[in-house]
Amino acid sequence: MFIQTESTPNPATLKFLPGQTVLDAGTADFPSAEGAASSPLAQRLFAVKGVCGVFFGSDFVTITKDDATDWDHVKPAVLGAIMEHFQSGEPVMAGEAASGHAEHDGEDGEIVNQIKELLDSRVRPAVAQDGGDITFHGFERGVVYLHMQGACAGCPSSTLTLKMGIENLLRHYIPEVTEVRPVAV
């Protein structure tokens, strides 16, 4: 098994491509080891000293390390953990992966559907290439709330991406959108 690695815009995060499907559908975000019980792979990765975040996409694993640890020390152990997991035959997830967007009930249903469609068609594929995901969290009085995951969470350029990229895109296509804000879940 050959696992490729790619840098991301977030210096604390690397993207690992195992050359096979990681998740059949959706994404899975584990910002801490405490929430990793539903994933044998995430548990294995959090056992690596210095790993502080794990994110799964369709064909990649994104790892975030803590500031005190150097990639030269973490990367070989992460590569080993990923290889060991896929050779073990264990599932990546014990349950279902998250579909992504939060549900929204209310009078803005048509606007929310347009927001989700633009996120799915224009935004999420681009940020997945950088090892992350951005999902809809809510819409209230013209403000779109988005949840940033994987390499996007804590990335130095995430504010610029959110404000200059996503906000401008949504405002262009949906006049009811006035602002985009990140949320922590």
Side-chain angles (χ1 to χ4, degrees):
M1 172 179 226
F2 178 72
I3 302 170
Q4 294 181 318
T5 59
E6 293 180 359
S7 59
T8 71
N10 184 346
T13 304
L14 277 180
K15 182 177 174 182
F16 294 81
L17 298 131
Q20 61 190 67
T21 301
V22 176
L23 290 180
D24 289 324
T27 60
D29 187 29
F30 303 97
S32 68
E34 289 76 39
S38 65
S39 172
L41 177 55
Q43 290 174 358
R44 198 178 296 240
L45 291 165
F46 276 115
V48 174
K49 186 175 178 351
V51 170
C52 64
V54 175
F55 179 80
F56 302 142
S58 62
D59 64 347
F60 66 89
V61 175
T62 302
I63 301 295
T64 303
K65 67 168 188 68
D66 61 35
D67 293 336
T69 307
D70 189 68
W71 274 119
D72 291 339
H73 300 289
V74 177
K75 187 176 172 182
V78 168
L79 287 166
I82 293 171
M83 189 174 300
E84 188 178 288
H85 178 81
F86 280 105
Q87 290 174 343
S88 76
E90 284 185 83
V92 171
M93 298 290 295
E96 292 286 315
S99 63
H101 302 303
E103 294 298 319
H104 180 83
D105 295 325
E107 59 198 47
D108 298 322
E110 184 59 37
I111 295 169
V112 168
N113 288 339
Q114 290 175 16
I115 292 167
K116 288 179 180 181
E117 174 59 33
L118 281 169
L119 290 173
D120 288 342
S121 65
R122 302 276 186 107
V123 176
R124 292 178 81 190
V127 296
Q129 290 193 345
D130 286 338
D133 197 11
I134 297 177
T135 57
F136 175 83
H137 188 75
F139 178 71
E140 187 177 322
R141 288 185 245 141
V143 180
V144 177
Y145 296 93
L146 300 177
H147 181 221
M148 303 179 89
Q149 302 171 319
C152 295
C155 177
S157 61
S158 66
T159 303
L160 186 63
T161 299
L162 207 58
K163 289 295 183 184
M164 300 306 290
I166 300 168
E167 184 176 288
N168 287 344
L169 174 78
L170 293 177
R171 288 173 63 189
H172 175 77
Y173 286 104
I174 307 167
E176 292 86 354
V177 173
T178 58
E179 185 181 358
V180 174
R181 294 183 193 162
V183 294
V185 176

